[in-house]
Amino acid sequence: MTLRTRFAPSPTGFLHIGGARTALFCHLHARHYGGKTILRIEDTDRERHKQEAVDAILAGMHWLGMDPDEGPFYQSDNASRHLDVAEQLIVGERAYRCYCTKDELDQMRDEQRAKGIKPKYDGRCRNRTAPPSDDAPFVVRFLRPKVGEVVWDDKIQGEIRVRNDELDDLILVRSDGSPTYNLAVVVDDHDMGINLVIRGEDHLSNTPRQIQLFEALAWEVPEYAHMPLLHGSDGAKLSKRHGAVSVLSFRDDGFLASAVNNYLVRLGWSHGDQEIFTQEEMEQLFDVCEVGRSAAIFDSDKLLWINSHHIRDAHPEELLEELIIQLEKIEIYGVERDKLLEVIPEFQERSKTMVEMAAKVSFLFVDDLPVYDPAAAKKHMKVASLAPLTELANRLEAQPEWSLAAIEKVFKSILEAFDIKMGKLAQPVRVSLTGTATSPGIYETLYLLGREKTIARLRHGVEFLEEKAAFAT
Ligand code: GLU
């Protein structure tokens, strides 16, 4: 039997990190077992259905490499089927029309509370034979089994038992004629052939009700895996402050999809003490049955750490698109892809995010002369460097070939001529070329920057030092 699982978000907003984790667990488990993922947009609450929210969910899933195998399907498209099933339940005497008014229900609950009983619908319409009036509004309620219990072996939570008499006669169809969540989910899960439901622990209380419905309809009950919820590092429910923002905002902040997935997979699941997983490894190894029961904590420092590993280990081609996006944000357009592929390896070890990488490589692609970081200039742009820097510019200009070996040769000749150590030359060169005291290896920096920009920036550094020298005398 092919495993079929689904991700069923309500389109109330973007795909946030908690939703992405649910989608990821569905995706990975399905991949591991050669199953299928189905995306179902639960838009029964029509007023809440927003196309932008659906688009944002699809875009978030696409970025994370989790396009569904089937769907998106829209739950609202199945409303008439849901109502047919409700009718079928009425005919089979497993559901009934309830005409109780709001006042009646409020009074019933007040009386129950006064007697110290847990408020619950008392089933007074179960045996009603006729409506109170022809046009009396009604809801359809499920006639729950009065004895016995619902038992299921949750793949994460273990065995769960709920006595049937603890549950209410659930509303299946509202008085406006619209199907409720529990009815819609059961019908859709059945019709879509879902045999494993992976979802958040916040749905645990719905599961026994849904199982009762499956049983009343003599449909096969799917298996369930209820994932522990995600909390912020302070233990509070995840909020915007903790990162409950759109997953796409992680992209904006320079995170890689593989790193976000790797981070999310480790929230509740482990494989020995391995922390870094490629997408393929996750798909091979993940099993929802191995997810732990304790609440997961969102930790942005760890995400950053994992991201830096993924950047370091990536093939430059895998970083290209993300780098281009970040470069465009800082108004660097049209750099040749081959040039970027040459540049990326020099910066992989140095960048925790793609935003950082774009900022670090930007000096290579701007035409303007760099503005010196004051601290770097103060520390490294000393008048003593004026002569070696001038000579370096002259010799590089006279050097016909622009290769790492040729650059290295010129550098060595300057160190020898002035009898200085590499740091005394490399640091003022770095500041002159990048405006900062950090860059990849100095020969690589010159090589990547190219002859023309290197010479112009060295000459500018020389002018800076000349002014400084003039000022000092
Ligand atoms: N639509 C529900 C939600 O977004 C999920 C329902 C389910 O997985 O059964 O929370």
Side-chain angles (χ1 to χ4, degrees), residues 307-320:
N307 202 49
S308 61
H309 276 269
H310 277 251
I311 291 181
R312 197 195 62 191
D313 299 344
H315 197 279
E317 253 137 48
E318 293 164 344
L319 302 177
L320 197 57

Side-chain angles (χ1 to χ4, degrees), residues 6-12 22 40-44 48 75 181-182 185-186 189 197-200 202-203 206-207 210 224 226:
R6 68 357 178 234
F7 176 50
S10 305
T12 47
T22 308
R40 183 172 74 225
I41 304 291
E42 302 217 313
D43 59 345
T44 42
R48 280 166 35 195
Q75 194 155 58
Y181 158 74
N182 278 302
V185 162
V186 167
D189 281 345
V197 171
I198 299 174
R199 62 184 171 195
D202 48 337
H203 286 287
N206 289 318
T207 307
Q210 294 177 9
Y224 290 91
H226 288 89

Side-chain angles (χ1 to χ4, degrees), residues 50 87 160 240 269 286 331 342 410 416 437:
K50 296 201 186 71
E87 196 53 42
I160 300 189
K240 203 165 174 181
W269 176 81
F286 180 84
E331 293 179 6
E342 192 176 42
V410 173
E416 218 174 291

Side-chain angles (χ1 to χ4, degrees), residues 222-238:
E223 293 196 281
Y224 290 91
H226 288 89
M227 301 164 44
L229 298 181
L230 198 51
H231 292 276
S233 51
D234 52 5
K237 191 168 170 283
L238 201 70

Side-chain angles (χ1 to χ4, degrees), residues 7-36:
F7 176 50
S10 305
T12 47
F14 42 63
L15 180 66
H16 60 72
I17 203 88
R21 177 165 155 266
T22 308
L24 179 70
F25 283 21
C26 293
H27 172 85
L28 295 179
H29 189 82
R31 286 293 166 274
H32 181 156
Y33 287 100
K36 296 267 183 256

